[in-house]
């Protein structure tokens, strides 16, 4: 009997039957010879007989028929009258008529080209090229609010997901940026994926826009002494996020798209060096996160600083889930607007025990249903379902929730629409995706165009340095994929792009996708309403359900929340719950108010008692908490900051940040983490282990949250056993004991009751992550590291990206503390961290697409310098790139040519990047040579003058 799947979803009996059938096909004999599997497969309609006999689509390279689980059939979905629609479009696929949105011909103010918006014609044309030819009436009313277009008033507004809320902020922000050649704007988003998506969008919108001629601006008087930059009159959009390789400064961008942490750091730097005067607009997206104690509270810190500046900075805050919008309006002293308009209406359903109920009309009845005896006929007839999902005979679908999810997803995909399925965990995502793929048509049943695109997607995934996930390899041929943080960024991007393009019909994701990336669908299905073990909150539920309905593709969106009997009452309460009101969380944890005070003192925005009181009065906290309680927390925090030696008080009662306090703010740490880092680095100064790499890597590893890091103590023990003498000295220096690791290996516990015990635990967890970082810096591929440490590939990649930002913070910390030697040592190694390679490959790793293992293969093939790559043509680089691919599947002639064409395009990009780097290097060398010649000439002149004077 075949072994069960690791996910436990294969029907054993059916699988055994399919295996037996497969063996019978392979052992069928003709004239005493075995027939191959290819010979026994039927002819595919629409293809030449000889082509079909060679290999069908499902038997193409990389798709192993013998590994595929057997196909299943989804349950039928019956309507209230008991019929199952057959032939023609189903009721589900009928598009309802809806009132047309007014056009710009009926209302001229709905056109962005109207003079009142004062947008350049090229900008309006760029909006039109992205599908925005007119705005909605609510957007018009919002933009025409008092003083908004002139930048005189702040704005906070709320609009449903998919209602077009981002456009309002884009228009206001671009107006501010285009008003003046030196104007800057900052756009704050909560997630890296959103930052990257917004950067791409804004670059398309501002493409070809000149900040000079289009707005009638004149250049400053006087002749310039040097040639202008090529991008001087353009709008430069730069993304700032953890792991980004961009080291842009305030002068290098016009619009900064940032994560919350990067935005706060950027504002601190600009206030500190007095360049903040150029800032004209700040946009806060997803501003409901302001009461998130983990990172959202930084939104309150950076906004309060802007309110204290005394200059005109227009703050625009928006969210889809705001309830007490008046609080933000009063805090920002601005205008507010609220709308519930959605261009695509949503029909909401609750699925329970195989029955589908319209959620909007039966919520109260369903709540009553949970308190009654479900066995009585009266109860059964009190609520009639609109549709019924038949039970399944398959063992995999005995759970009614899973059966409903698969049946609804299958119906959607077979009707030609996209569907998003939200699962509570990563394992749940993969399990649902595998089950759904088994009820959908096989690859060879799709159209030739779809087959080609799905095979291309599989090829792109295989060509990644991490290879292809085996579960994705099974699901993608059926048009199904999963999307969660366990995948690498490149995998998630490819899957999201394929789903958005219609290549994939079903995307199964964790709840974080609802807020992390914009992927709408005709139908959204929630497999329970949980994130892990806990129910999601009303705001997250609204985010997930808000993904239903694609503007321009659907006239209606549908959501189905599938729940269990035990969760019914809680789910009904959740569906009808009011969104929670936001409030300040600065004093719910003393570290937050301490960080708020330390930052404004360090950047000298508030140093005296009066200015600190003014700062506190401008926080949102001042609008939500008792003034006496606030004052008590402020006094206590100031005393704590003095005790920790972060600030001092002079004779005039002014507060000044110490060198340590400034270092903590410059490296974007909170006071508690700053204290830990300071202790670690001070200890390292006494005996820094430089004859190995572990000590440097340990100091580059972010401070872990011990509750979110899983340590495989067996792996930890094995890696410790293989450490060289240098690595063992680092462990001894840090106080990490092999006895403790052995104890944990045999079921012990790491105590974290006291502050001292917490610090010790942090060191063990941090060193474990540093071991992963060591492998990455020594050219071990991400997927190999993930396998070795039994952790998802996406988590390993996230660690590598976080370490890059954290390393930059550590270097700043050392510089502020005047630890120049330590800063130099860390800075030298940070390049290896970015390259994921040893020192000899650092120059090559600056070339686009040439990182880690690829760089090593270039080196081994003789391309050891940037100049060597620059002098090579794309055709010369092609064999090297083919050698660098992780999977070398045998391809058919047509597929092999397409594969080579893709790699050739990549080779051209590599060659162009190398040539650009070589030109920049040559230019720098030329400048240095000119400077040296000028200095030599000056020295010669001085010497000649001295000789003349002596004579």
């Amino acid at each position: 009997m075949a072994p069960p799947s690791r996910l436990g979803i294969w029907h054993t009996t059916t699988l055994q039957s399919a295996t037996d059938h497969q063996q019978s096909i392979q052992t069928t004999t003709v004239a005493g010879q075995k027939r191959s599997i290819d010979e026994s497969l039927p002819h595919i309609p629409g293809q030449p007989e000889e082509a079909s006999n060679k290999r069908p689509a499902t038997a193409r390279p990389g798709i192993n028929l013998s590994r595929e689980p057997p196909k299943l059939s989804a349950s039928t979905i019956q309507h209230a009258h008991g019929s199952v629609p057959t032939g023609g479009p189903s009721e589900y696929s009928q598009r309802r008529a809806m009132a047309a949105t007014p056009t710009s011909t009926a209302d001229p103010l709905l056109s962005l080209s109207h003079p009142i918006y004062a947008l350049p014609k090229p900008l309006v044309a760029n909006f039109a090229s992205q599908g925005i030819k007119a705005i909605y009436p609510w957007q018009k009313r919002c933009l025409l609010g008092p003083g908004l277009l002139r930048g005189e008033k702040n704005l906070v507004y709320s609009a449903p997901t998919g209602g077009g809320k981002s456009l309002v902020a884009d228009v206001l922000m671009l107006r501010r940026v285009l008003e003046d050649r030196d104007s800057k704007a900052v756009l704050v988003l909560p997630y890296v994926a959103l930052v990257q998506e917004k950067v791409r969008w804004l670059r398309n919108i501002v493409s070809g826009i000149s900040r000079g001629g289009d707005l009638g601006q004149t250049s400053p008087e006087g002749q310039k002494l040097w040639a202008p930059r090529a991008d001087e009159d353009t709008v430069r959009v730069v993304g700032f996020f953890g792991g980004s390789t961009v080291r842009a400064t305030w002068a290098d961008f016009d619009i900064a798209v940032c994560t919350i942490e990067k935005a706060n750091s950027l504002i601190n730097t600009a206030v500190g060096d007095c360049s903040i005067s150029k800032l004209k607009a700040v946009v806060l997206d997803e501003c409901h996160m302001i009461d998130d104690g983990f990172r959202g509270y930084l939104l309150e810190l950076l906004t309060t600083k802007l309110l204290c500046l005394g200059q005109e900075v227009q703050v625009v805050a928006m969210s889809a889930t705001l309830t007490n919008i008046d609080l933000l309006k009063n805090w920002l002293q601005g205008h507010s607007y609220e709308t519930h308009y959605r261009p695509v209406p949503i029909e909401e359903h609750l699925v329970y025990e195989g029955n589908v109920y319209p959620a909007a009309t039966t919520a109260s009845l369903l709540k009553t249903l949970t308190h009654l005896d479900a066995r009585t006929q009266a109860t059964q007839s009190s609520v009639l379902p609109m549709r019924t999902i038949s039970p399944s005979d398959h063992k995999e679908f005995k759970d009614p929730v899973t059966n409903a999810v698969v049946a609804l997803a299958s119906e959607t995909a077979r009707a030609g629409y996209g569907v998003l399925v939200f699962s509570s965990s990563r394992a749940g995502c993969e399990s649902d995706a595998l089950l759904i793929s088994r009820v959908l048509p096989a690859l060879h049943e799709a159209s030739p165009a779809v087959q080609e695109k799905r095979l291309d997607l599989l090829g792109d995934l295989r060509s990644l340095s991490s290879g292809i996930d085996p579960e994705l390899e099974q699901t993608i041929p059926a048009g199904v994929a999963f999307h969660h943080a366990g995948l690498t960024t490149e995998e998630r991007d490819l899957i999201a792009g394929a789903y958005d393009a219609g290549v994939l019909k079903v995307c199964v994701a964790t709840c974080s996708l609802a807020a992390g990336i914009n992927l709408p669908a005709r139908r959204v299905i929630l497999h329970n309403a949980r994130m892990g073990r806990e129910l999601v909150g009303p705001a997250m539920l609204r985010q997930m359900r808000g993904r239903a309905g694609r503007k321009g593709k659907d006239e209606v969106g549908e959501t189905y929340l599938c729940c269990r009997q035990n969760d019914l009452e809680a789910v009904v309460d959740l569906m009808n719950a009011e969104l929670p009101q936001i409030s300040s969380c600065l004093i719910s944890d003393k570290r937050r108010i301490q960080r708020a005070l330390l930052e404004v003192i360090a950047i000298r925005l508030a140093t005296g008692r009066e200015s600190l009181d003014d700062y506190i009065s401008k926080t949102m906290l001042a609008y939500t908490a008792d003034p006496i309680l606030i004052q008590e927390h402020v006094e206590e925090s100031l005393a704590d900051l003095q005790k920790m030696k972060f600030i001092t008080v002079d004779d005039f009662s002014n507060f000044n940040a110490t060198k340590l306090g400034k270092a903590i703010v410059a490296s974007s740490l909170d006071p508690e983490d700053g204290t830990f880092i300071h202790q670690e680095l001070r200890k390292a100064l006494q005996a820094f282990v430089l004859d190995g790499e572990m000590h440097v890597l340990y100091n580059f590893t972010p401070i872990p949250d011990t509750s979110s890091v899983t340590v495989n103590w067996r792996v930890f023990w094995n890696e410790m056993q293989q450490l060289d003498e240098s690595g063992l000295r680092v462990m001894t220096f840090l106080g990490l004991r092999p006895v403790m690791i052995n104890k944990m290996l045999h079921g012990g516990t790491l105590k974290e009751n006291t502050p001292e015990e917490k610090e010790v635990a942090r060191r063990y967890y941090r060193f474990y992550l540093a071991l992963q970082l060591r492998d990455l810096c020594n050219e071990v591929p991400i997927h190999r590291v993930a396998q070795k440490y039994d952790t998802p590939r996406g988590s390993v990649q996230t660690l590598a990206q976080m370490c890059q930002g954290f390393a930059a913070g550590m270097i700043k910390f050392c510089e502020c503390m005047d630890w120049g030697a330590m800063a130099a040592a860390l800075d030298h190694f940070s390049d290896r961290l970015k390259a994921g390679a040893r020192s000899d490959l650092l120059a090559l790793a600056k070339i686009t697409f040439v990182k880690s293992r690829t760089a090593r293969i270039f080196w081994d093939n003789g391309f050891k310098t940037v100049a060597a790559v620059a002098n090579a043509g794309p055709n010369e680089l092609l064999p090297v790139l083919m050698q660098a691919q992780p999977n070398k599947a045998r391809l058919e002639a047509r597929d092999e040519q397409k594969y080579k064409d893709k790699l050739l395009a990549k080779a051209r990009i590599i060659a162009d990047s190398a040539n650009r780097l070589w030109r920049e290097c040559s230019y720098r060398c030329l400048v240095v040579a000119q400077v040296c010649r000028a200095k030599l000439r000056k020295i010669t002149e001085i010497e000649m003058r001295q000789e003349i004077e002596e004579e």
Side-chain angles (χ1 to χ4, degrees):
M1 181 175 291
S5 163
R6 71 179 181 83
L7 294 173
I9 62 171
W10 283 13
H11 190 308
T12 307
T13 305
T14 310
L15 178 59
Q16 184 62 50
S17 175
T19 304
D20 294 342
H21 176 66
Q22 186 68 32
Q23 291 172 352
S24 69
I25 292 176
Q26 292 178 332
T27 57
T28 301
T29 59
V30 177
Q33 295 181 351
K34 284 188 178 181
R35 294 177 58 190
S36 69
I37 186 172
D38 291 344
E39 292 171 343
S40 63
L41 288 165
H43 168 62
I44 300 174
Q47 290 188 4
E49 185 72 29
E50 60 275 12
S52 178
N53 285 337
K54 285 181 181 177
R55 188 185 294 267
T58 50
R60 296 280 285 277
I63 306 175
N64 190 342
L65 282 172
S66 63
R67 291 181 59 240
E68 287 188 350
K71 286 292 183 181
L72 303 173
S73 56
S75 297
T76 57
I77 303 178
Q78 297 179 337
H79 293 271
H81 50 76
S83 63
V84 180
T86 57
S90 66
E91 178 185 327
Y92 155 62
S93 65
Q94 294 292 334
R95 299 193 171 200
R96 66 167 53 184
M98 58 182 289
T101 301
T103 63
S104 56
T105 55
D107 184 352
L109 289 173
L110 296 181
S111 172
L112 287 174
S113 60
H114 194 283
I116 196 169
Y117 303 117
L119 298 178
K121 290 181 180 179
L123 182 59
V124 176
N126 286 348
F127 274 118
S129 69
Q130 298 297 314
I132 302 175
K133 297 179 173 60
I135 61 177
Y136 297 132
W138 81 262
Q139 292 171 327
K140 176 199 73 173
R141 292 191 292 271
C142 184
L143 285 169
L144 297 180
L148 294 180
L149 289 174
R150 295 189 298 274
E152 299 170 352
K153 294 277 284 184
N154 296 330
L155 170 67
V156 54
Y157 65 102
S158 175
T161 301
K165 66 179 182 294
S166 297
L167 181 61
V168 172
D170 289 345
V171 170
L172 293 175
M173 178 180 67
L174 289 169
R175 276 183 56 89
R176 299 282 79 74
V177 170
L178 294 173
E179 280 178 351
D180 188 282
R181 187 184 298 273
D182 295 326
S183 297
K184 310 283 184 184
V186 175
L187 172 57
V188 187
L189 293 158
Y191 304 110
V192 172
L194 290 178
V195 170
Q196 294 170 327
E197 183 182 27
K198 194 67 178 183
V199 167
R200 290 191 293 267
W201 161 263
L202 284 173
R203 284 177 178 170
N204 288 330
I205 290 298
V206 301
S207 176
I209 305 298
S210 171
R211 306 182 76 182
D214 287 331
L215 298 176
Q217 296 172 329
T218 57
S219 58
E221 294 182 1
Q223 185 178 2
K224 294 184 178 180
L225 300 178
W226 54 84
R229 288 196 326 262
D231 63 349
E232 185 172 15
D233 288 333
T234 62
V235 179
R236 298 162 296 164
V237 181
V238 177
F240 292 82
F241 50 88
S244 145
T245 57
V246 176
R247 281 191 178 180
T249 63
W250 192 257
D252 294 325
F253 68 86
D254 301 307
I255 299 176
V257 187
C258 315
T259 54
I260 298 173
E261 295 83 358
K262 291 293 184 180
N264 186 57
S265 177
L266 198 63
I267 296 296
N268 285 341
T269 301
V271 172
D273 62 17
C274 300
S275 58
I276 195 72
S277 60
K278 297 177 181 179
L279 184 64
K280 301 299 180 184
V282 173
V283 176
L284 309 176
D285 202 353
E286 308 293 350
C287 65
H288 62 274
M289 290 185 65
I290 201 165
D291 64 353
D292 169 36
F294 180 62
R295 56 199 291 265
Y297 75 97
L298 294 175
L299 289 172
E300 182 174 358
L301 300 194
L302 71 89
T303 305
T304 304
K305 293 167 198 163
L306 299 175
L307 296 175
C308 291
L309 287 177
Q311 69 182 56
E312 290 187 0
V313 179
Q314 186 174 35
V315 179
V316 180
M318 57 177 163
S319 173
T321 56
L322 278 179
T323 49
N324 49 340
I325 195 171
D326 286 340
L327 169 63
L328 288 174
K329 172 188 174 181
N330 295 332
W331 175 45
L332 298 177
Q333 301 176 4
H335 176 66
S336 66
Y337 188 88
E338 193 170 3
T339 181
H340 300 286
Y341 171 78
R342 277 189 59 96
V344 180
I346 295 180
E347 294 179 352
E348 299 180 352
H349 308 84
L350 178 64
V351 184
Y352 167 67
E353 294 295 330
N355 296 319
V356 181
Y357 301 93
T361 58
T362 63
S364 58
L365 291 174
L366 286 172
K367 186 181 290 187
T368 304
L369 184 63
T370 60
H371 297 288
L372 298 176
D373 185 357
R375 292 170 295 181
T376 64
Q377 288 294 324
T379 302
Q380 293 289 345
S381 60
S382 61
V383 181
L384 293 176
M386 58 184 295
R387 307 175 79 192
T388 302
I389 301 170
S390 303
S392 175
D393 294 330
H394 297 297
K395 184 181 295 185
E396 293 89 344
F397 300 149
K398 289 302 181 185
D399 175 29
V401 175
T402 302
N403 185 46
V405 169
V406 173
L408 290 166
S410 174
E411 182 189 44
T412 314
R414 288 177 180 274
Y417 294 100
V419 57
L420 277 178
V421 179
F422 287 108
S423 291
S424 59
S425 65
R426 298 175 188 176
C429 282
E430 297 178 15
S431 176
D432 284 349
L434 284 164
L435 285 173
I436 294 169
S437 70
R438 293 173 65 186
V439 303
L440 291 179
L443 180 60
H444 71 268
E445 299 178 53
S447 67
V450 171
Q451 290 186 36
E452 199 71 22
K453 290 176 181 176
R454 288 179 186 170
L455 289 170
D456 285 346
L457 175 60
L458 285 169
D460 290 340
L461 287 167
R462 289 192 195 97
S463 68
L464 297 176
S465 59
S466 57
I468 186 170
D469 185 281
E471 277 74 31
L472 281 177
E473 193 170 24
Q474 288 187 37
T475 63
I476 285 176
V480 183
F482 49 86
H483 187 293
H484 56 60
L487 299 175
T488 63
T489 302
E490 295 79 10
E491 287 174 318
R492 295 198 297 267
D493 287 345
L494 284 171
I495 290 168
Y499 173 80
D500 202 38
V503 177
L504 300 174
K505 290 299 181 185
V506 182
C507 182
V508 189
T510 49
C511 302
S512 57
L513 174 69
I517 195 167
N518 182 25
L519 284 182
R522 170 64 180 258
R523 181 177 284 184
V524 169
I525 304 170
L526 281 71
H527 191 150
N528 296 324
R530 294 187 177 275
M531 183 181 293
R533 296 184 178 181
E534 302 297 325
L535 282 173
V536 299
M540 178 59 74
L541 179 65
R542 183 170 295 191
Q543 289 271 20
M544 291 189 288
R545 292 157 76 182
R547 294 298 173 200
R550 294 189 186 212
K551 179 180 177 292
K553 296 184 179 180
D554 301 315
E555 281 77 25
V556 64
E558 298 176 328
T559 67
Y560 290 81
L561 200 165
C562 307
C563 74
R564 305 187 185 282
Q565 183 175 2
N566 296 339
D567 291 336
L568 180 59
E569 185 176 0
V571 165
V572 171
D573 288 338
L574 176 64
M575 294 178 73
N576 291 273
E578 293 291 331
L579 291 171
Q581 295 196 340
I582 62 171
S583 61
S584 175
C585 61
L586 286 186
I587 59 175
S588 58
D589 187 321
K590 65 179 183 180
R591 290 179 298 178
R592 298 171 197 146
I593 188 67
Q594 286 175 359
R595 179 168 182 171
L597 294 169
L598 178 59
E599 286 189 352
V600 294
I601 292 172
I603 63 177
R604 305 200 62 78
L605 187 61
T607 54
R609 178 66 64 173
E610 185 178 344
S611 56
L612 277 176
D613 290 342
D614 180 62
Y615 169 78
I616 294 297
S617 70
K618 286 184 168 63
T619 61
M620 193 172 76
L621 177 67
Y623 292 80
T624 59
D626 177 58
I628 297 177
L629 182 63
I630 295 174
Q631 193 62 34
E632 289 176 356
H633 277 85
V634 169
E635 295 298 332
E636 182 182 349
S637 296
L638 287 172
D640 288 341
L641 290 174
Q642 292 180 64
K643 190 182 300 182
M644 292 186 286
K645 299 182 180 180
F646 293 162
I647 62 173
T648 59
V649 185
D650 61 20
D651 296 336
F652 302 97
S653 298
N654 291 322
F655 296 97
N656 297 288
T658 62
K659 189 182 292 185
L660 175 57
K662 292 177 181 177
I664 289 173
V665 172
S667 51
S668 301
L669 297 169
D670 67 40
E672 183 177 309
D673 288 346
T675 301
F676 177 76
I677 288 296
H678 182 237
Q679 292 172 353
E680 296 281 273
L681 290 176
R682 279 192 65 186
K683 185 185 292 186
L685 282 173
Q686 299 170 13
F688 199 70
V689 182
L690 289 175
D691 59 342
E693 56 194 11
M694 281 308 302
H695 208 172
V696 177
L697 290 171
Y698 174 82
N699 285 296
F700 275 170
T701 305
I703 303 172
D705 178 4
T706 55
S707 63
S708 61
V709 176
T710 302
V711 175
N712 186 320
W713 294 99
R714 167 63 63 188
V715 175
F716 200 161
W717 174 264
N718 292 339
E719 291 303 303
M720 181 196 69
Q721 296 286 78
Q722 298 175 25
L723 285 175
D724 57 13
E725 191 270 337
S726 172
L728 291 174
R729 266 190 290 121
V730 175
M731 284 192 65
T732 304
F733 182 75
L734 296 173
L736 307 183
R737 298 184 300 142
V739 174
M740 176 57 71
I741 299 174
N742 186 52
K743 177 183 175 182
M744 296 299 298
L745 176 61
H746 291 88
T749 56
L750 204 57
K751 295 181 180 179
E752 297 184 54
N753 299 322
T754 65
E756 292 76 17
E757 289 175 344
K758 288 181 180 178
E759 286 191 5
V760 171
R762 273 180 166 183
R763 292 191 181 100
Y764 279 100
Y765 281 82
R766 198 178 181 204
F767 193 84
Y768 181 74
L769 295 178
L771 290 171
Q772 299 179 31
L773 204 59
R774 175 203 59 185
D775 289 350
L776 291 171
C777 286
N778 285 285
E779 303 165 28
V780 180
I782 285 176
H783 66 289
R784 298 295 183 198
V785 176
Q787 290 173 357
K788 179 178 179 180
Y789 293 91
D790 191 24
T791 189
R793 293 181 295 179
S795 300
V796 175
Q797 187 184 54
T798 300
L799 170 66
Q801 293 172 344
M802 288 175 60
C803 286
Q804 293 179 27
F806 190 80
M810 291 303 92
I811 294 169
K812 284 183 180 178
F813 190 99
C814 292
E815 290 173 346
C816 291
M817 294 297 295
D818 292 332
W819 298 341
M822 174 78 79
L826 295 177
D827 192 26
H828 173 74
F829 206 90
S830 66
D831 292 332
R832 280 191 60 188
L833 199 63
K834 293 173 189 172
R838 297 184 179 92
S839 301
D840 56 347
L841 300 182
L842 293 182
L844 281 178
K846 294 179 181 179
I847 303 173
T848 305
F849 292 139
V850 181
K851 298 290 183 288
S852 191
R853 179 174 178 271
T854 306
R856 178 59 61 192
I857 291 174
F858 268 70
W859 177 279
D860 292 342
N861 280 272
F863 296 99
K864 298 186 177 183
T865 63
V866 174
V869 179
N871 290 325
N875 289 320
E876 295 177 69
L877 301 178
L878 180 59
V880 182
L881 282 179
M882 293 187 70
Q883 185 181 341
Q885 299 310 299
N887 293 289
K888 301 176 178 61
R890 183 173 56 85
L891 301 175
E892 295 178 354
R894 180 168 58 90
D895 294 327
E896 184 173 5
Q897 187 55 49
K898 182 182 292 187
Y899 181 67
K900 286 183 177 180
D901 289 342
K902 286 187 175 182
L903 289 182
L904 188 61
K906 193 173 182 179
R908 292 192 185 98
I909 295 174
I910 289 174
D912 291 343
S913 175
N915 273 286
R916 185 170 61 253
L917 288 171
W918 179 244
R919 286 196 299 269
E920 290 174 358
C921 180
S922 301
Y923 177 74
R924 285 195 296 270
C925 292
L926 180 63
V927 170
V928 170
Q930 290 176 342
V931 170
C932 291
R933 280 198 294 268
K935 287 184 177 180
L936 183 60
R937 192 182 305 115
K938 190 171 183 179
I939 292 172
T940 303
E941 291 176 354
I942 293 173
E943 289 177 348
M944 291 179 62
R945 193 178 302 116
Q946 289 175 346
E947 289 179 1
I948 293 172
E949 290 175 354
E950 289 175 358
E951 291 177 356

